[in-house]
Structure formats: C-alpha cells, structure tokens
Amino acid sequence: STELVSPSTIRLDRENICAIGRLQSLREIHSLYLQQNQIEKIENLGCFPNLRFLSLAGNRIRRVENLQPLQHLRVLDLSHNQIRTLDPDELPRSLRLLDLTGNECTHQHGYRELVVGALPHLLQLDAQPIHGGVGEEEEEGSSSSSEDEDEELLSEPRGPFTAGKDFFADLHWELAGRSRRRRREALEEHRTRLEELEELRERRGLLLPPAPL
C-alpha cells in the first residue's frame, strides 16, 4: 500500500539509484530528493510539472538537460556531479537558487555571467548572492497568492514520502529499510537550503511572483 506522510515531498536520497525511471503524473509533488545516488542522466522529470525544489547533488550527471518542463522550479542543487560544460538555455528561467559547485563547468570562461544572464530571477548562484538581479520590479507587485506559495516553499516538510516498491519499479529502489539517521540527514539538508533562500529573500525584501494559472 502507498503511505503519504507528506504528499508534496518525495525522498529517494542515498538509495543507490542508477536511473530516473518513467513515472506516472505526480502534479502535487513540490520537492524531490535524489541526492547521493548513481544517476548519470537527468530525464523523465516531466511527471512533476509543479516541482519547485530538486536535489540531484552527489550523482554522476555529466550534462544539464531535460529540465525545461519544470517551469515552476525555484531551487536546483546539482553540486558535486561531473558536469564539464553548461548550456544555460537548459535551465528553467524560474530558478531562484542554483548550486553547481564541485562541477568542472564552474570554471568555464564567463560562467557566472552566462548563468546570471540566462536566469532573470536568480537570487543565489553557488552559495553566492546575485546583486542587482533582473526582474526585481516584477516581483514587487506580487500578490498574496505568491506569499502563500513562498511560505509553502520555505516551510519544513512534515515527513518523507514513501511508496510501494512497484510504484518506482524502473528505479529499482527499496525504501522499507530506510534508517532514522538518513531521514534526519535529509531533513537537515533540506532545512539548510531553504534557510539560505529565506535569508536572501528577507535581506532583499523580494517576493516570488504568482504561479501562472
């Protein structure tokens, strides 16, 4: 049977996953943890159209791709992978926080300028704040609905999402034996990322724009 402790969050970190399989549509999922696995390719994420937080840190990814369907994505962690070159056009323009530290692509000529130029709403890149970002005027007119969304993004998840083995058959994972220590580590990692984003937002007085209808 399927257990939904926190229906907006899926945690599959540290599960020795090698590939992201094809899944059924999961429109209600806002946060997805796939860090510290063996994933080599970003793929099959179109089933998460409302995803806003994605962690793929500590995998074997060599190329940033197939992220364009995630038009609501705001936090993306691709740190400590094997990305040698970066095409900024492959990144969703909705991103507010992006981490690519530990990848060779960060040493590209003009890397930071290229990324900042491609992402008009970016607030932080590789743990460094973006100064004078484009789109501040747009965000000043945010509605109350955007505040609700912001609070949801910055709120701490109440618990992990777990599912029956058949649900992610293509991922070949087994969550039944997940230890309490790994859950605590994943929660702490999530809290740290969201605290960074909240600190930036408060310091600059920015609100996220309302999601498209």
Side-chain angles (χ1 to χ4, degrees):
S1 62
T2 300
E3 179 187 2
L4 291 175
V5 180
S6 177
S8 66
T9 300
I10 293 181
R11 289 208 180 95
L12 292 170
D13 55 288
R14 302 170 177 85
E15 293 293 340
N16 204 32
I17 296 169
C18 295
I20 305 173
R22 294 182 179 276
L23 314 174
Q24 60 178 293
S25 179
L26 298 170
R27 303 187 64 86
E28 74 280 8
I29 300 302
H30 289 174
S31 300
L32 176 60
Y33 297 83
L34 288 167
Q35 70 270 25
Q36 304 300 325
N37 283 297
Q38 309 296 323
I39 297 169
E40 297 183 359
K41 184 177 181 180
I42 302 173
E43 59 185 343
N44 298 321
L45 293 177
C47 59
F48 304 103
N50 295 315
L51 199 65
R52 296 160 67 191
F53 181 103
L54 173 61
S55 179
L56 284 163
N59 279 281
R60 298 178 178 178
I61 295 168
R62 298 182 180 180
R63 180 181 176 185
V64 177
E65 59 186 337
N66 301 320
L67 291 172
Q68 289 304 325
L70 307 179
Q71 294 301 310
H72 300 285
L73 192 64
R74 294 173 181 172
V75 179
L76 174 60
D77 188 351
L78 285 168
S79 59
H80 303 290
N81 276 278
Q82 301 173 14
I83 304 169
R84 295 187 176 182
T85 59
L86 174 68
D87 180 358
D89 291 336
E90 292 290 339
L91 295 166
R93 289 170 59 85
S94 57
L95 284 177
R96 268 65 172 177
L97 188 152
L98 173 63
D99 195 344
L100 285 162
T101 55
N103 288 281
E104 190 173 334
C105 67
T106 59
H107 302 296
Q108 283 181 225
H109 177 68
Y111 155 76
R112 189 172 180 86
E113 291 75 13
L114 285 172
V115 173
V116 173
L119 303 175
H121 304 294
L122 197 64
L123 301 179
Q124 179 175 302
L125 174 61
D126 301 341
Q128 298 297 321
I130 304 299
H131 300 290
V134 180
E136 293 183 18
E137 294 81 4
E138 297 176 357
E139 296 185 348
E140 288 178 359
S142 301
S143 66
S144 58
S145 62
S146 70
E147 297 181 35
D148 295 339
E149 289 183 0
D150 201 22
E151 289 303 318
E152 181 183 348
L153 176 63
L154 298 174
S155 64
E156 180 178 290
R158 289 168 294 182
F161 175 99
T162 58
K165 188 173 182 180
D166 292 339
F167 186 71
F168 285 104
D170 291 336
L171 297 180
H172 305 291
W173 57 269
E174 179 57 56
L175 295 180
R178 183 188 298 237
S179 70
R180 190 172 303 170
R181 178 183 59 82
R182 285 190 298 170
R183 290 188 182 185
R184 187 165 57 248
E185 288 175 354
L187 181 60
E188 182 62 29
E189 184 171 347
H190 182 75
R191 183 185 297 113
T192 299
R193 291 290 180 191
L194 296 187
E195 284 178 352
E196 289 177 357
L197 186 59
E198 184 174 20
E199 181 181 352
L200 273 173
R201 188 197 63 161
E202 291 178 351
R203 185 165 63 242
R204 300 182 61 191
L206 295 178
L207 293 175
L208 302 178
L213 295 178

